[in-house]
């Protein structure tokens, strides 16, 4: 397991953190279940009970990530899938952490540490979920990052994994600045660039950042998606920042991105 990130000891906007948990982390974890609408869950398939979620959530504040993973592995051993664990255990746990913080049951550092431990478990589960794969002549590439200035990278981590399992070739910036985004886009071809923002406090400079991204991109038809709590609360920001679209969760983002790439190919070829 890796060491916690440095920002755990920095004070962040509490409203932004709460919004990130409620409006970004949970929807993206939910999006990890990429099932067709008509696919039924076998009745004999094991399920996670509410009591298990209730018992698991406080442990994210009390034990290390490897101990959480050991508990998750016992659930895998009894037949639960990685997708079920993402949706029915880790997502409710992250949501409940947000409720703990709003109810003053724990402080900012506690919640952030809990989310970091959940992130470590997500990393391990991702290795157990096979990618759908695409034909070599139909590779689509996406770059994900937080809006420059935003510190929490949990959302981009999970949405990257959702796209990767759907067959996209993905890349993610752990830290994000305008210069880093432009360097990556100028050095490699990407069909989509996705940025997530937890609050509006970092949105002011985003129009110039997106303009710079487009100006240096190796792909002259780069499409920019934005998401997160800031855009859920104020959809008009999508046009204000000069993005091409948004989506409320990872599942919808995947559908929007696929449609955008298809539209570009139909108009410009490729």
């Amino acid at each position: 397991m890796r060491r916690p990130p440095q920002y755990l000891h920095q004070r962040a906007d509490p409203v932004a953190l709460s919004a990130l948990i409620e409006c970004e982390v949970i929807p993206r974890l939910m999006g990890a279940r990429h099932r067709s609408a008509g696919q039924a869950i076998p009745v004999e398939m094991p399920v996670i009970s509410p009591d298990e979620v209730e018992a698991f959530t406080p442990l994210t504040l009390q034990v290390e990530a490897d101990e959480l993973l050991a508990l998750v592995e016992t659930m895998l051993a009894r037949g639960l899938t990685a997708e079920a664990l993402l949706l029915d255990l880790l997502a409710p746990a992250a949501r409940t952490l947000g409720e703990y913080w709003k109810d003053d049951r724990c402080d900012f550092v506690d919640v952030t540490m809990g989310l970091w431990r959940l992130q470590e478990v997500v990393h391990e589960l991702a290795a157990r979920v096979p990618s759908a794969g695409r034909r070599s002549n139909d590779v689509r590439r996406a770059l994900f990052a937080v809006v420059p200035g935003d510190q929490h990278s949990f959302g981009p981590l999970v949405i990257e994994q959702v796209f990767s399992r759907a067959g996209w070739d993905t890349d993610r910036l752990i830290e994000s600045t305008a210069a880093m985004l432009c360097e990556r886009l100028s050095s490699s071809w990407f069909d989509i660039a996705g940025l997530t923002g937890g609050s509006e406090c970092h949105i002011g400079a985003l129009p110039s950042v997106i303009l710079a991204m487009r100006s240096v991109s190796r792909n002259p038809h780069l499409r920019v998606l934005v998401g997160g709590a800031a855009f859920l609360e104020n959809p008009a920001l999508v046009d204000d920042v000069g993005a091409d679209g948004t989506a409320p969760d990872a599942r919808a983002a995947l559908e929007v991105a696929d449609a955008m790439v298809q539209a570009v190919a139909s108009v410009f070829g490729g």
Side-chain angles (χ1 to χ4, degrees):
M1 292 296 176
R2 298 168 297 177
R3 298 179 60 185
Q6 294 295 320
Y7 67 70
L8 290 179
H9 303 289
Q10 301 176 10
R11 184 67 181 173
D13 181 2
V15 176
L17 176 64
S18 178
L20 179 70
I21 295 169
E22 295 294 328
C23 300
E24 181 176 343
V25 172
I26 301 304
R28 280 165 169 69
L29 279 170
M30 295 276 291
R33 179 191 288 181
H34 191 58
R35 292 192 178 101
S36 61
Q39 185 174 356
I41 301 175
V43 294
E44 70 277 6
M45 187 175 184
V47 297
I48 298 171
S49 70
D51 288 343
E52 288 179 298
V53 177
E54 185 177 354
F56 180 83
T57 302
L59 294 176
T60 66
L61 305 174
Q62 300 166 4
V63 304
E64 296 306 319
D66 55 352
E67 296 179 67
L68 295 176
L69 181 60
L71 291 173
V72 168
E73 287 175 338
T74 65
M75 297 181 183
L76 286 170
R78 79 174 199 236
L80 284 158
T81 66
E83 288 184 348
L85 288 165
L86 281 170
L87 181 68
D88 300 325
L89 181 69
L90 302 185
R95 179 173 60 242
T96 304
L97 283 178
E99 294 169 357
Y100 283 179
W101 184 87
K102 290 193 294 183
D103 294 339
D104 292 324
R105 295 175 61 181
C106 57
D107 62 21
F108 169 78
V109 173
D110 289 334
V111 170
T112 308
M113 281 296 300
L115 287 174
W116 176 77
R117 292 171 183 133
L118 289 176
Q119 175 175 298
E120 293 298 290
V121 176
V122 170
H123 274 296
E124 294 298 322
L125 283 178
R128 294 168 164 79
V129 181
S131 298
R134 285 186 185 271
R135 299 185 304 273
S136 60
N137 62 347
D138 190 27
V139 174
R140 298 176 178 183
R141 301 203 69 216
L143 172 67
F144 297 106
V146 293
V147 169
D150 200 318
Q151 295 176 330
H152 296 276
S153 59
F154 190 69
L157 163 67
V158 178
I159 195 170
E160 179 203 17
Q161 292 171 0
V162 171
F163 271 63
S164 178
R165 287 194 291 272
W168 284 64
D169 182 8
T170 61
D171 194 3
R172 176 174 55 93
L173 293 177
I174 298 176
E175 297 179 1
S176 174
T177 66
M180 294 167 68
L181 286 164
C182 288
E183 189 280 330
R184 192 64 57 88
L185 290 167
S186 64
S187 61
S188 300
W189 176 285
F190 292 97
D191 299 283
I192 296 288
L195 302 173
T196 61
S199 71
E200 293 191 25
C201 60
H202 301 297
I203 301 299
L206 195 52
S208 61
V209 172
I210 291 178
L211 186 63
M213 290 166 58
R214 295 188 193 279
S215 69
V216 301
S217 173
R218 289 188 62 184
N219 177 6
H221 308 300
L222 176 73
R223 293 296 179 258
V224 179
L225 280 174
V226 291
F231 298 96
L232 286 173
E233 295 168 358
N234 186 1
L237 285 175
V238 177
D239 292 329
D240 292 345
V241 301
D244 297 299
T246 187
D249 55 44
R251 180 186 300 148
L254 186 60
E255 294 174 355
V256 170
D258 279 329
M260 282 182 170
V261 173
Q262 291 173 7
V264 168
S266 66
V267 174
F268 300 102

